[in-house]
Amino acid sequence: MDTAASTGLTFRDATDADVDSLVALIESAYRGDSSRTGWTTEADILQGQRTDPEGVLEVIKAPDSRLRVVERDGTLIACCQLEHRGDHAYFGMFAVSPAQQGGGLGKVILAEAERYARVNWGAAEMHMTVITAREDLIAWYERRGYRRTGQMTPFPYGDERFGIPQRDDLEFELLVKPLV
């Protein structure tokens, strides 16, 4: 367990016991009316679920993956996925409780994720994919050193495990940041 003393946050790897709480957190940050409290909502572009217990458990169990849990005073307030992919790490499944958004917590968690990937895996870069319609989110990552690559991946239309699209122009763009 890692404690960021200056922030009062505790970072640890998720366990099977965390699955239901993590699904609830991720859903609250991205879907439905509760997500509108924060700024990361996707409620206007995607309906339905963001993830499910099977998807979260798959990340927890994957050998080269970590689902990092962020707690304050024993309460789950955020999470992120890190996956070791050779010379780089992949960052995903990032969720901050809507009530905790807007106060700089995301910056702290992202910096800790980058540190973890660099120190523990020797990752030279961090990669992530973001829905291109999320211009505000992409701009937030760009302010933290990520660059747009122009490499696009289609949204998995028809696979409701990832939500029900409300528009027909959704795609993901790869963002990359050097960690060394």
Side-chain angles (χ1 to χ4, degrees), residues 12-23 53 56-62 67 69:
R12 65 174 174 82
D13 290 341
T15 67
D16 296 10
D18 295 312
V19 169
D20 290 340
S21 297
L22 286 165
V23 170
V56 170
L57 193 57
E58 186 178 304
V59 172
I60 291 171
K61 297 290 189 192
L67 187 49
V69 170

Side-chain angles (χ1 to χ4, degrees), residues 104-160:
L105 183 58
K107 287 185 259 192
V108 172
I109 295 166
L110 183 60
E112 169 57 19
E114 293 166 355
R115 184 204 66 78
Y116 184 96
R118 186 180 61 252
V119 169
N120 292 292
W121 296 331
E125 290 183 330
M126 185 75 83
H127 292 196
M128 69 175 71
T129 55
V130 179
I131 295 175
T132 56
R134 299 290 319 280
E135 290 292 336
D136 54 343
L137 185 57
I138 291 171
W140 187 85
Y141 284 119
E142 287 179 315
R143 290 191 299 275
R144 272 134 206 96
Y146 287 81
R147 66 173 176 76
R148 299 180 83 156
T149 65
Q151 292 180 341
M152 304 299 181
T153 306
F155 186 86
Y157 284 91
D159 188 342
E160 291 188 7

Side-chain angles (χ1 to χ4, degrees), residues 9 19 24-25 28-30 42 51 56 58 64 68 71 100-101 104 111 118 125 129 140 143 154 159-160 162 179:
L9 301 176
V19 169
L25 169 70
S28 75
Y30 290 97
E42 295 173 344
T51 192
V56 170
E58 186 178 304
D64 290 327
R68 301 289 285 166
E71 296 173 322
Q100 302 285 326
Q101 292 178 19
R118 186 180 61 252
E125 290 183 330
T129 55
W140 187 85
R143 290 191 299 275
D159 188 342
E160 291 188 7
F162 301 101
L179 297 181

Side-chain angles (χ1 to χ4, degrees), residues 25-44 46 96-99 101:
L25 169 70
I26 294 163
E27 293 298 314
S28 75
Y30 290 97
R31 299 289 197 274
D33 288 337
S34 67
S35 70
R36 295 180 194 282
T37 304
W39 71 274
T40 61
T41 185
E42 295 173 344
D44 294 329
L46 290 161
V96 175
S97 168
Q101 292 178 19

